Each structure stands twice: as structure tokens, then as C-alpha cells.
Amino acid sequence: MPVSFVTYIDESGDTGLDLVKKPDDPKGATEWLILSALVVKIEYDSKMVSWVNDVQSEFTSKRADLHFNKLLDFKKPLVCSALAEKDCKAFVVMSNKKNIEKYRNSRLDPSNKSWIYWFLSRLLLERVTEYCYKQTPTDRRGKDKLRIIFSRRGGLIYQDFADYLWKLYWQRDSDELVLNYRQITWPVIDHDEIFVFDHAKYAGLQLADVIAGAFYQAVEQNRGAVLSCDPSCARLLKPIVYYKGWNWHLGNGLKPMPALHEMELTEAQKVLFTFYGAKDRDWLKKE
């Protein structure tokens, strides 16, 4: 089947749940796990290396690969501003892990530490596949496919995701599907077009890392010596973050988990979501 879109998926943060950082306590796993997808039309895929060079054109770098959290602070907004001008779309899923600290899924092997990564991947692909399907000409729908490329991450067994994806496929029309508000748009999925590659070897993954890193920086507090979060770079990426209608980013290009009113965020953490469209009512706890 021909491929018409390519998505590169990377993350920032970790999958740890045994002890999750609190805003006033730096001990434990990261408070947030961020997954990002950079989506490009297949004709632009060959330009990924030149795009990486473009976004670094205003400064010199001794590194062979682009990695957002390794950049000096003054370089980060330059990279994000340049990426925001490219012909691509960004999708971000942001999981605040405080409410699932110590959570165990009774249906999974207790040694399975990566289930949250694959669950967020599902949420990400629900949005990415819907976008790709809508961008495909009517007469090509069901024929043109999406190539999915994950950045290799230690501790993840990628066959688990392949199995999970098949499970979702077979449950798509049944009552067994958990969280069935939205589904992956299956006509764009080709199970033979899912790959895992090293970040350093694929420029598209490096650009996806920029997106994940910028949104992680926007909400994660106690990042080593940096105590406060900084949404400035994530805000610069708004031109490429997917939205519906008139600037409807939340729930589409930007998906927070759980609902905003369940997160108990600090005022500094709320800034990013307000910028992307959250209203006062979104922070009110439901009765």
C-alpha cells in the first residue's frame, strides 16, 4: 500500500509510577510523561535532515544530533520558532501522573512498566490518524497509509505495542473497547509500516523530540536545578499544533490526561493550557 504520511513519535519524561514528583518535592519519577508526534506528507520526508539543519542555522552545535534538553537555553526558542515555520503538524499527549501514582492494572503482568507509554501512543494515534484520513483525497481513502516511526526507548518491548494495536483493531466494533470515546482511524493504518529507530539516526525523530521537550519544559517542575516550568518554547510551536474549527487545540492537537480539573496543577503549570484555549470552567471540579 502506498504511504502518504509519515509520523515521528518521541517522548519526554518517564513511565515511573511508584513515586511521582510533587511540585514541592523533587524526589521520584517525573510528574509528566509527554508523547509528541511530528506529521509530514511523504513528499517532505526526504527533507527532514535539511529541516534539522534549518532549525539550527542561527547557531553552531558540536553535537551530531539535535536533542532539545541538551540545548543551551538561548538556543531552544530559536529552534522552536524555526520549526513552527515548517509544513508539518504537531500532536502532543500530556499525562500528569500524580493521579495514577502506584496504579496497577490487574489485567497486566505486574512487570509491565510500559503500559502507560502504549496507552498514550494510542491517544496520540487516534488524533494523528484522524487528521491523515481527512487530508487524504476521498478516492484514495483506505488505500493511502501512514508510516509510524517510534524513537527507540530503553525498557520498551515494541512487540507489545504491535499486539496492543491488533487488540484494539479487533475490539473496534465491540463493547470490549476500553475508553471508546474516540478510536484510531483504521483505514490509514498498515501494520507493516510501524518501525522503531534510534533518535540519533533519524532527523524526523529529532524534530519530534523538540516538540516533546518544549511541552515537557512547559509543565514539569523540579527539572534538576531548574525549579520552575517554562511554557515559552511550547507557545512558539502553536502554528504547527493541530486544531479544529477556530483555534480548538485542546483535545485535538493537544491532549491532556486526565481532565484539567482533575490535575490539581499549580498556577504556573496552568499557563500553557490557558494559552492553548483552556477556560476558567475547565479548572472547576465536576460535581
Side-chain angles (χ1 to χ4, degrees):
M1 291 290 189
V3 171
S4 57
F5 291 91
V6 182
T7 184
Y8 293 92
I9 297 176
D10 204 349
E11 89 293 325
S12 194
D14 59 48
T15 59
L17 295 176
D18 290 338
L19 177 64
V20 176
K21 285 181 185 178
K22 308 300 186 295
D24 57 350
D25 189 347
K27 296 190 297 294
T30 61
E31 181 182 351
W32 295 84
L33 175 59
I34 312 294
L35 262 66
S36 67
L38 175 83
V39 182
V40 295
K41 294 179 179 178
I42 188 65
E43 55 263 36
Y44 292 116
D45 193 40
S46 61
K47 299 182 179 182
M48 293 298 97
V49 172
S50 65
W51 284 15
V52 167
N53 292 333
D54 289 347
V55 302
Q56 299 182 98
S57 63
E58 294 193 41
F59 57 84
T60 57
S61 176
K62 296 180 180 180
R63 290 185 58 87
D65 61 321
L66 172 62
H67 209 304
F68 185 81
N69 70 8
K70 302 293 185 183
L71 292 172
L72 295 174
D73 286 344
F74 84 90
K75 295 180 179 180
K76 293 178 179 179
L78 297 176
V79 166
C80 291
S81 294
L83 179 56
E85 296 179 356
K86 298 300 183 183
D87 193 351
C88 61
K89 282 290 179 286
F91 295 80
V92 185
V93 175
M94 308 180 67
S95 174
N96 183 278
K97 299 186 295 175
K98 293 197 304 291
N99 73 321
I100 52 173
E101 185 177 43
K102 303 186 185 303
Y103 175 77
R104 294 289 184 272
N105 189 328
S106 59
R107 292 172 295 179
L108 296 177
D109 184 327
S111 65
N112 186 335
K113 305 294 185 183
S114 59
W115 66 268
I116 184 174
Y117 188 97
W118 301 130
F119 176 68
L120 298 183
S121 296
R122 167 193 170 180
L123 298 181
L124 195 63
L125 287 176
E126 287 174 351
R127 287 150 179 82
V128 169
T129 56
E130 178 187 64
Y131 165 75
C132 293
Y133 185 77
K134 289 182 176 180
Q135 294 298 307
T136 301
T138 304
D139 63 333
R140 298 297 306 170
R141 290 178 179 176
K143 301 174 184 177
D144 291 1
K145 302 297 181 179
L146 167 69
R147 179 172 294 148
I148 302 168
I149 300 177
F150 285 97
S151 179
R152 193 182 310 279
R153 179 185 174 98
L156 292 182
I157 301 173
Y158 289 88
Q159 184 59 43
D160 288 349
F161 180 70
D163 294 342
Y164 177 47
L165 203 60
W166 275 114
K167 180 179 179 181
L168 293 175
Y169 177 77
W170 292 116
Q171 291 180 344
R172 67 194 187 282
D173 295 322
S174 73
D175 294 332
E176 299 177 42
L177 188 64
V178 178
L179 193 64
N180 59 6
Y181 168 72
R182 211 165 187 162
Q183 289 196 37
I184 290 172
T185 305
W186 293 105
V188 303
I189 292 290
D190 183 341
H191 293 268
D192 293 327
E193 287 289 350
I194 302 174
F195 303 96
V196 183
F197 294 123
D198 292 331
H199 167 277
K201 295 181 179 179
Y202 273 77
L205 291 174
Q206 295 169 37
L207 296 173
D209 168 80
V210 169
I211 299 166
F215 279 85
Y216 178 79
Q217 177 178 282
V219 289
E220 182 77 12
Q221 300 178 127
N222 295 308
R223 303 186 319 279
V226 181
L227 301 181
S228 61
C229 47
D230 177 7
S232 59
C233 288
R235 293 172 67 166
L236 292 172
L237 292 171
K238 190 174 184 179
I240 61 172
V241 176
Y242 176 67
Y243 64 89
K244 286 184 177 180
W246 189 81
N247 282 347
W248 186 17
H249 294 85
L250 285 179
N252 296 295
L254 179 60
K255 170 62 177 175
M257 281 292 291
L260 293 178
H261 69 270
E262 297 178 14
M263 290 190 186
E264 298 184 356
L265 300 184
T266 65
E267 292 303 313
Q269 290 174 317
K270 291 180 180 180
V271 170
L272 173 77
F273 299 104
T274 299
F275 177 78
Y276 275 94
K279 309 300 182 186
D280 290 344
R281 63 177 179 271
D282 294 320
W283 305 106
L284 299 177
K285 291 189 176 181
K286 311 303 181 188
E287 297 297 335

